[in-house]
């Protein structure tokens, strides 16, 4: 007798459906990492340079990508690896700025499994032994790619000995090897390494481009996000796509499918902006009672005094930009209106005075035993200084009164010393400094700066070489000592006149050209081919 067949063996039973394994959630910053150069936002200049280099076959052997966090340094390095190793859908393509994304090379690089594209985190591989492994490996040809590519992230973390070990290989690598370095602190990378690489500075992504990118991501995710909310997230990201996508991820989870500006404001702690603006308005109006009440409420809500003062400074900064005609991009409507009101209310002298007092107050808060008390004292100083007249107006008024009331000459008026008589032009100013013993500053003014604006007591200069951060202050002090009047000295990148030294050289060259063009001089040179025209400086008094 045949044994009964056991169930499921040899019978055409319907298959029991297996529950599909849920795919793990990928955060937006990883899910929307750019897969080609067209998706890399805000770095058009770098993409254009790479495209031209690839098209002309002028591909450097080492690239250094630098910029703040989240602007796309590592993503760009992977895209460059794709561009150099892509073979196209038919396997016959060459390096291209538009990698196909479907060939085995592109897919393997995108998935992080390409045997010839080696990524190394310098933060955890800092030693010379780690670099020696690279040096030993570069001698061998790539396995199946056009180039063997080494991507070293946070390269500034390598030790000094590791950098030194890498120098020779970096200067003369084999033809099949390319190096791609990424760093957020390029000033820590030795100059010997920088000189051997082609450097790309990735810029902060503008807020408007970030907002547009986040809108596209939100649409792809099927989430409705208000336009003001997108602008807030873009501003909070501070030019970083990764930071902004992380904030957007959090906002979507916070909002449960829809994201409003109010939700983002609460999530980022921006709801206190209105409180900070009211506090600043009360302080500038001289209302001590309301100011202290606002400060107590902020303390009860858990606001840090340092954060409170920084918020006041940020509001003042927005107002300053608005007053200068360069309002910050992407501000919410209420913040933009508040900045315009504050800009109309404050004069330039008052803005600078309030800024300095807030800056001093912030420093006091950071070192005080009780930060809350230090913040209160800083605001009280601001209140009592808010209605003080502008020092320039006081000086002007006093000068006018002095001119209207002549004083009989006295013995003291015959004493030598600085006077309020201002020089008539820039060369006269230099001569005055020279006369008062300020020889070094006079030489620097003559040789190393170009004049942008001369409107005593204002002086705007364009340096032709570094002069040091304290130089404008030192010059202002020297001018005040020489003229008796306070000067406003500033450095600018605006186009200005050449330095006086360069003007003298150009004048001498002009005269020299005129002399050489003279028929008699030309005839003399034809008669005496070895003759030379001596410099005018050397022939003076001859």
């Amino acid at each position: 007798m045949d044994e009964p067949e056991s169930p499921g063996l040899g019978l055409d039973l319907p298959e029991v459906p297996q529950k599909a394994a849920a795919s793990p959630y990928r955060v937006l910053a990883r899910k929307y990492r750019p897969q080609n150069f067209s998706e890399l936002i805000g770095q058009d200049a770098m993409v254009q340079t790479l495209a031209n280099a690839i098209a002309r076959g002028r591909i450097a052997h080492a690239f250094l990508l630098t910029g703040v966090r989240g602007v796309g340094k590592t993503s760009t390095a992977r895209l460059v690896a794709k561009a150099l190793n892509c073979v196209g859908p038919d396997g016959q393509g060459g390096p291209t700025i538009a990698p196909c994304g479907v060939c085995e090379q592109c897919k393997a690089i995108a998935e992080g499994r390409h045997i010839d594209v080696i990524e190394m985190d310098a933060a955890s591989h800092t030693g010379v032994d780690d670099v020696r492994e690279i040096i030993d490996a570069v001698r061998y040809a790539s396995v199946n790619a056009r180039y063997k590519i080494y991507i070293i992230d946070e390269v500034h973390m390598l030790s000094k000995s590791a950098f030194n070990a890498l120098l020779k290989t970096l200067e003369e690598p084999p033809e099949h090897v390319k190096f791609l370095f990424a760093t957020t602190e390029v000033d820590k990378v030795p100059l010997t390494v920088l000189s051997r690489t082609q450097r790309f500075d990735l810029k902060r992504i503008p807020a408007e481009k970030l907002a547009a990118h986040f809108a596209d991501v939100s649409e792809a995710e099927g989430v409705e996000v208000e336009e003001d909310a997108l602008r807030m997230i873009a501003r909070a990201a501070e030019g970083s796509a990764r930071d902004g996508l992380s904030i957007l991820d959090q906002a979507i989870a916070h909002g449960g499918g829809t994201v409003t500006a109010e939700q983002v404001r609460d999530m980022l702690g921006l709801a206190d902006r209105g409180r900070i603006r009211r506090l600043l308005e009360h302080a500038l109006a001289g209302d001590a009672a309301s100011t202290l009440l606002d400060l107590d409420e902020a303390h009860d809500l858990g606001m840090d005094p340092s954060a409170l003062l920084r918020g006041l400074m940020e509001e003042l900064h927005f107002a300053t930009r608005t007053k200068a005609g360069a309002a910050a991009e992407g501000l919410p409507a209420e913040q933009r209106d508040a900045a315009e009101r504050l800009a109309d209310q404050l004069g330039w002298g008052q803005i600078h005075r309030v800024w300095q007092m807030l800056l001093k107050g912030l420093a006091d808060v950071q070192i005080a035993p009780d930060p809350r008390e230090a913040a209160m004292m800083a605001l009280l100083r601001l209140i009592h200084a808010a209605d003080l007249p502008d020092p320039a107006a006081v000086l002007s008024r006093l000068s006018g009164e002095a001119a209207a009331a002549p004083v009989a000459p006295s013995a003291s008026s015959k004493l030598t010393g600085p006077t309020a008589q201002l020089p008539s032009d820039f060369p006269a100013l230099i001569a005055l400094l020279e006369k008062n013993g300020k020889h070094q500053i006079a030489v620097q003014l003559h040789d190393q700066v170009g004049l942008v604006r001369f409107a005593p007591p204002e002086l705007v200069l364009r340096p032709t070489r570094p002069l040091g951060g304290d130089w404008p202050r030192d010059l202002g002090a020297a001018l005040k000592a020489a003229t008796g009047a306070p000067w406003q000295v500033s450095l600018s990148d605006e186009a200005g006149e050449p330095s006086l030294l360069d003007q003298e050289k150009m004048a001498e060259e002009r005269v020299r050209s005129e002399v050489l063009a003279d028929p008699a001089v030309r005839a003399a040179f034809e008669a005496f081919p070895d003759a030379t025209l001596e410099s005018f400086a050397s022939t003076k008094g001859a």
Side-chain angles (χ1 to χ4, degrees), residues 26-34 241-243 245-246 249:
R26 296 179 68 201
V27 296
L28 297 182
R30 290 190 60 194
K31 186 175 181 180
Y32 292 95
R33 174 172 280 171
R242 183 175 62 229
D243 287 8
L245 287 173
S246 298
D249 224 340

Side-chain angles (χ1 to χ4, degrees), residues 58-175:
R58 303 177 64 89
I59 305 170
H61 62 269
F63 298 90
L64 177 69
L65 306 171
T66 179
V68 298
R69 81 251 177 255
V71 293
K73 298 183 295 296
T74 306
S75 295
T76 300
R78 291 172 181 166
L79 292 179
V80 172
K82 275 188 186 180
L84 297 182
N85 280 332
C86 177
V87 295
D90 59 357
Q92 303 300 316
T96 173
I97 196 63
C100 66
V102 298
C103 68
E104 181 56 31
Q105 303 289 338
C106 288
K107 289 193 293 186
I109 293 172
E111 295 168 6
R113 57 179 176 81
H114 200 296
I115 194 172
D116 291 319
V117 178
I118 301 97
E119 293 193 32
M120 188 182 93
D121 176 21
S124 55
H125 299 81
T126 62
V128 68
D129 291 336
D130 300 303
V131 171
R132 283 201 186 103
E133 291 182 13
I134 296 176
I135 296 171
D136 292 339
V138 297
R139 294 178 297 176
Y140 304 103
S142 55
V143 177
N144 62 0
R146 186 178 295 111
Y147 294 106
K148 180 182 285 189
I149 296 178
Y150 289 90
I151 299 174
I152 303 182
D153 200 10
E154 298 302 338
V155 70
H156 67 273
M157 299 289 286
L158 289 179
S159 65
K160 182 178 180 180
S161 56
F163 273 126
N164 290 336
L166 187 60
L167 285 180
K168 189 60 178 177
T169 302
L170 189 59
E171 184 172 18
E172 298 178 359
E175 294 293 329

Side-chain angles (χ1 to χ4, degrees), residues 434-457:
E434 186 75 34
K435 181 180 177 181
N436 280 268
K438 302 297 182 182
H439 305 294
Q440 182 179 357
I441 290 183
V443 170
Q444 289 172 324
L445 283 174
H446 183 275
D447 296 353
Q448 301 176 16
V449 300
L451 180 63
V452 176
R453 186 163 56 256
F454 181 82

Side-chain angles (χ1 to χ4, degrees), residues 394-413:
V394 174
L395 181 62
S396 176
R397 182 176 176 183
L398 291 176
S399 300
E401 291 175 354
V407 180
S410 62
S412 61
S413 65

Side-chain angles (χ1 to χ4, degrees), residues 84 145 185 238 272 274 278 352 393 414 422 468 493 516 520 525 537:
L84 297 182
E185 300 184 48
E238 297 182 343
D272 295 318
R278 285 196 304 274
H352 296 317
K414 299 177 183 180
L422 302 179
D493 290 331
L516 291 174
F525 273 104

Side-chain angles (χ1 to χ4, degrees), residues 177-242:
V177 173
K178 302 291 182 185
F179 287 98
L180 298 172
F181 300 145
T183 179
T184 53
E185 300 184 48
V186 69
D187 56 310
K188 293 184 179 179
V189 179
L191 291 176
T192 49
V193 173
L194 292 177
S195 65
R196 290 166 166 83
T197 61
Q198 191 171 99
R199 173 174 167 176
F200 290 102
D201 290 83
L202 277 65
K203 301 177 181 178
R204 291 182 186 269
I205 305 170
E208 61 273 14
K209 288 191 176 183
L210 281 178
H213 178 56
F214 299 156
D216 293 339
V217 171
S218 302
E219 184 179 352
E221 291 291 306
V223 178
E224 186 176 344
V225 184
E226 290 183 0
E227 188 175 343
D228 277 351
L230 291 172
R231 284 201 292 263
M232 289 179 191
I233 294 172
R235 282 194 57 80
E238 297 182 343
S240 167
R242 183 175 62 229

Side-chain angles (χ1 to χ4, degrees), residues 153-403:
D153 200 10
E154 298 302 338
V155 70
H156 67 273
M157 299 289 286
L158 289 179
S159 65
K160 182 178 180 180
S161 56
F163 273 126
N164 290 336
L166 187 60
L167 285 180
K168 189 60 178 177
T169 302
L170 189 59
E171 184 172 18
E172 298 178 359
E175 294 293 329
H176 61 274
V177 173
K178 302 291 182 185
F179 287 98
L180 298 172
F181 300 145
T183 179
T184 53
E185 300 184 48
V186 69
D187 56 310
K188 293 184 179 179
V189 179
L191 291 176
T192 49
V193 173
L194 292 177
S195 65
R196 290 166 166 83
T197 61
Q198 191 171 99
R199 173 174 167 176
F200 290 102
D201 290 83
L202 277 65
K203 301 177 181 178
R204 291 182 186 269
I205 305 170
E208 61 273 14
K209 288 191 176 183
L210 281 178
H213 178 56
F214 299 156
D216 293 339
V217 171
S218 302
E219 184 179 352
E221 291 291 306
V223 178
E224 186 176 344
V225 184
E226 290 183 0
E227 188 175 343
D228 277 351
L230 291 172
R231 284 201 292 263
M232 289 179 191
I233 294 172
R235 282 194 57 80
E238 297 182 343
S240 167
R242 183 175 62 229
D243 287 8
L245 287 173
S246 298
I247 296 172
L248 179 60
D249 224 340
Q250 181 182 353
I252 292 173
H254 181 79
T258 58
V259 180
T260 66
E262 191 65 30
Q263 290 169 342
V264 173
R265 189 179 290 111
D266 291 340
M267 186 187 76
L268 296 177
L270 299 178
D272 295 318
R273 282 289 177 195
R275 187 180 304 278
I276 288 175
R277 284 195 290 273
R278 285 196 304 274
L279 176 59
L280 183 59
E281 289 170 0
H282 287 154
L284 293 176
D287 188 345
S290 297
T291 300
L292 295 183
L293 182 61
D294 291 340
L295 185 61
D296 290 340
E297 290 179 354
H299 175 75
D300 294 339
L301 291 172
M303 290 188 67
D304 179 66
S306 293
L308 183 67
L309 287 180
R310 282 195 294 268
L312 293 173
M313 295 178 71
E314 190 169 306
E315 292 299 323
L316 184 63
H317 176 254
F318 291 148
T320 305
R321 287 185 62 103
T322 302
K323 190 174 185 66
E329 297 284 342
L331 289 179
E334 68 267 20
Q335 198 166 4
R336 188 166 55 250
D337 294 340
E340 290 173 357
R341 288 197 307 271
L342 201 57
D344 293 337
Q345 174 187 347
L346 300 177
W348 283 114
Q350 197 173 7
I351 284 176
H352 296 317
R353 187 163 66 249
V354 171
W355 177 267
Q356 290 298 325
M357 296 183 75
L358 288 174
L359 193 63
K360 176 66 167 60
L362 180 60
D364 290 347
V365 164
Q366 291 172 343
I367 63 174
D370 189 333
R372 180 189 177 191
E373 292 179 356
M376 182 189 71
M377 297 303 295
L379 289 174
L380 288 175
R381 285 198 303 270
L382 181 61
I383 288 169
H384 291 292
D387 56 353
L388 291 177
D390 184 73
V394 174
L395 181 62
S396 176
R397 182 176 176 183
L398 291 176
S399 300
E401 291 175 354

